[in-house]
């Protein structure tokens, strides 16, 4: 069984390398250009690059946001904000939300497929980790949903936590689908309004306060939850 699993992993890695090779052969400069744009952190540059694909801009943007969320780097806020600038706030948010959800789902599947077996061996040797793992299987949906609701939490970290836990794929996808809509919307609107602040400065202030309230609520919830767990164990 382990040998068969190893062969599948090797095959999956080979297919991924083949895909990168095909893209490189079609456009040798593509990866260098994309890397430079992603690292720039310049929302206008990202928007211009996406727009350069003309009628395929929306498709390319979807795939770009998907890949960024699957990898967990760089921060997706740059691309969700660029989408809001290019396609309009509502269409841009919807595009980013769906792409991010698909991206984190792919990341979950890859990480679980590649590393869950190794994680189970480590967890089995530690009672505390086993307890956390059991909780993730029982309350994983609620925990992941609350975490996904919070803007600016590192997506790659949440992907790894979900994949290496006992959380079911169904719970993970539902939590991401529901939780990412408000967090993506807040991130995209703050990024969009930061660039176009002169048009509607009050909305930018409102969105920043809303993001702060959500983040503050998350930490209060976590603190109370931790205290309750300590009281139950005590």
């Amino acid at each position: 069984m382990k040998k068969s699993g190893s062969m599948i992993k090797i095959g999956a890695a080979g297919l991924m390398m083949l895909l990168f090779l095909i893209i490189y052969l079609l456009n040798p400069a593509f990866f260098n250009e994309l890397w430079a744009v992603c690292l720039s952190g310049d929302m206008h540059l990202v928007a211009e690059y996406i727009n350069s694909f003309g009628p395929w801009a929306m498709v390319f943007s979807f795939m770009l946001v998907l890949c960024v969320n699957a990898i967990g780097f760089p921060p997706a806020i740059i691309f969700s904000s660029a989408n809001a600038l290019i396609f309009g706030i509502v269409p841009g948010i919807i595009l980013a939300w769906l792409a991010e959800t698909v991206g984190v789902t792919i990341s979950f599947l890859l990480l679980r497929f590649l590393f869950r077996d190794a994680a189970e061996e480590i967890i089995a040797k530690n009672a505390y980790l086993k307890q956390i793992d059991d909780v993730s299987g029982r309350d994983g949906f609620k925990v992941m949903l609350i975490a996904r609701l919070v803007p600016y939490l590192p997506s790659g970290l949440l992907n790894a936590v979900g994949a290496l836990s006992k959380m079911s794929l169904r719970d993970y996808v539902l939590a991401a689908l529901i939780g990412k809509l408000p967090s993506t919307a807040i991130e995209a609107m703050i990024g969009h309004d930061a660039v176009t602040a002169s048009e509607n400065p009050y909305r930018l202030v409102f969105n920043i306060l809303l993001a702060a309230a959500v983040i503050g609520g998350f930490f209060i919830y976590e603190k109370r939850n931790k205290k309750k767990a300590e009281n139950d164990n005590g």
Side-chain angles (χ1 to χ4, degrees):
M1 184 67 73
K2 285 187 177 181
K3 186 177 180 180
S4 175
S6 298
M7 291 301 295
I8 293 173
K9 292 177 182 179
I10 292 171
L15 286 173
M16 195 173 297
M17 291 177 65
L18 179 61
L19 176 62
F20 284 127
L21 179 60
I22 291 172
I23 294 172
Y24 176 77
L25 291 174
L26 291 173
N27 184 0
F30 175 77
F31 291 112
N32 286 335
E33 291 174 355
L34 182 60
W35 185 249
V37 169
C38 288
L39 289 184
S40 70
D42 186 331
M43 202 182 305
H44 287 294
L45 183 60
V46 172
E48 287 174 12
Y49 185 68
I50 292 172
N51 262 331
S52 70
F53 287 83
W56 292 96
M58 190 168 283
V59 175
F60 174 75
S61 182
F62 183 92
M63 297 304 297
L64 180 60
V65 175
L66 184 157
C67 291
V68 165
N69 278 269
I71 298 169
F73 177 84
I77 181 177
I78 302 169
F79 307 97
S80 55
S81 300
N83 279 326
L85 282 173
I86 300 167
F87 308 114
I89 291 178
V90 175
I93 288 172
I94 293 174
L95 176 68
W97 166 53
L98 294 175
E100 287 187 20
T101 301
V102 175
V104 299
T105 300
I106 292 173
S107 178
F108 175 91
L109 292 170
L110 285 173
L111 288 170
R112 174 157 290 188
F113 179 67
L114 293 172
F115 301 115
R116 175 60 189 175
D117 291 345
E120 283 180 343
E121 292 180 8
I122 296 171
I123 290 168
K125 298 174 182 177
N126 188 298
Y128 181 67
L129 290 177
K130 191 174 187 307
Q131 185 180 5
I132 294 175
D133 198 41
D134 290 338
V135 170
S136 71
R138 186 174 62 252
D139 300 323
F141 171 77
K142 181 176 72 174
V143 174
M144 184 59 65
L145 174 61
I146 292 169
R148 289 294 186 191
L149 285 168
V150 182
Y152 307 112
L153 275 186
S155 185
L157 176 62
L158 296 181
N159 297 345
V161 169
L164 301 181
S165 71
K166 279 186 176 179
M167 189 186 311
S168 68
L169 174 62
R170 174 182 171 276
D171 284 351
Y172 180 84
V173 173
L174 281 176
L177 186 65
I178 298 169
K180 268 197 161 292
L181 179 55
S183 62
T184 299
I186 291 172
E187 291 175 358
M189 285 190 293
I190 288 177
H192 174 277
D193 292 348
V195 176
T196 60
S198 58
E199 298 176 14
N200 198 336
Y202 298 107
R203 189 174 63 189
L204 174 60
V205 174
F206 172 78
N207 287 326
I208 291 173
L209 292 175
L210 180 59
V214 174
I215 294 170
F218 170 74
F219 284 109
I220 292 171
Y221 171 83
E222 283 294 299
K223 188 175 180 180
R224 288 180 178 177
N225 211 33
K226 185 177 180 182
K227 188 175 181 180
K228 182 183 176 183
E230 288 173 353
N231 290 337
D232 290 342
N233 293 331

